[in-house]
Amino acid sequence: MTSIDNTVLGRLDKEGRLLNAVLKGETTKPGRFGFRGDIALKFQTQVADEKRPPDYSVEQVLTVADEGETAIPVLAGYLHSFAYLADVARVLDGALSQKGRYFMFCNNIDLSAKYRTKIGDITFRVLPCDESTVWKEMMDLAGVDKNDIKKLNTAGKLDYLLDAAKNVDASYAELSYEEGLAKMKPVKNRNENRPV
């Protein structure tokens, strides 16, 4: 039985950052723990014992961690603003490696843009995402056909997709975090045009 406490995700779990899990358990690979959900980046101030949702998170996270490994090998997620990338680097500090593959889909960058942005010595692949999901975008990016995985369970699908994602050729143009901040568009109001 693979325990989250024996993986690099254990610290995030103890900090109460792993939220809204679709999957939070061992996968089909021995010694591997998978997580699909949100990673809280900034918490609201709590009053007494009241539980409040975070100010913002990496949403729709797809990741796995192997027992005994010191870094997350691959992670994909959605950021409502490119500016939150610095928080991702801070919150996941020590859990990421130079060899890892980290894909961040942002709402407020140019829809035709794909960047490599380094924070410290960690490289993030930054891609646009509008009216779509991280799962669908990663399936397209990794060239995985839904028929390839339809017989697999949730954990098996995650294993298959993230193993394929490790081989994605993501040699996009380099863009510094500061340049990205200068280029980013206003953050869209998610509740706009929604029926009440």
Side-chain angles (χ1 to χ4, degrees):
M1 177 99 177
T2 305
S3 163
I4 192 170
D5 297 329
N6 300 333
T7 72
V8 72
L9 294 173
R11 169 180 65 87
L12 299 173
D13 195 39
K14 285 188 183 77
E15 291 172 3
R17 293 187 186 276
L18 303 183
L19 307 170
N20 306 324
V22 175
L23 171 73
K24 185 178 172 187
E26 52 187 350
T27 71
T28 56
K29 302 267 174 101
R32 186 186 263 188
F33 195 91
F35 177 72
R36 278 186 74 179
D38 299 342
I39 299 176
L41 294 176
K42 183 172 186 245
F43 291 110
Q44 289 190 43
T45 310
Q46 272 180 262
V47 183
D49 59 352
E50 169 191 36
K51 264 299 216 190
R52 292 183 168 197
D55 270 345
Y56 50 88
S57 305
V58 187
E59 297 169 30
Q60 302 178 43
V61 169
L62 310 173
T63 193
V64 288
D66 296 300
E67 275 186 315
E69 291 293 324
T70 57
I72 294 168
V74 61
L75 180 143
Y78 170 84
L79 295 175
H80 200 52
S81 171
F82 175 85
Y84 300 162
L85 195 59
D87 294 299
V88 175
R90 180 181 52 77
V91 167
L92 297 180
D93 186 37
L96 304 178
S97 81
Q98 291 175 331
K99 294 194 298 247
R101 302 287 254 177
Y102 309 118
F103 301 89
M104 288 294 150
F105 293 87
C106 294
N107 180 284
N108 63 337
I109 65 167
D110 188 312
L111 285 175
S112 62
K114 290 179 177 176
Y115 306 121
R116 276 183 308 153
T117 299
K118 253 182 133 164
I119 297 186
D121 56 1
I122 305 301
T123 301
F124 294 94
R125 271 75 180 180
V126 180
L127 302 104
C129 187
D130 189 38
E131 309 290 322
S132 185
T133 64
V134 170
W135 183 265
K136 185 180 175 320
E137 294 290 329
M138 284 304 295
M139 290 276 286
D140 291 349
L141 197 63
V144 176
D145 188 283
K146 60 177 188 269
N147 291 324
D148 297 342
I149 60 172
K150 72 175 179 205
K151 290 195 171 83
L152 302 174
N153 64 12
T154 303
K157 287 177 180 169
L158 185 68
D159 275 333
Y160 192 102
L161 176 59
L162 293 185
D163 283 342
K166 289 177 188 171
N167 302 315
V168 169
D169 174 30
S171 48
Y172 310 137
E174 290 209 24
L175 180 84
S176 75
Y177 178 67
E178 291 70 26
E179 287 170 324
L181 286 179
K183 280 183 157 196
M184 72 180 188
K185 299 169 164 26
V187 175
K188 292 181 185 162
N189 176 355
R190 297 179 190 217
N191 301 320
E192 211 171 32
N193 304 328
R194 279 212 179 150
V196 177

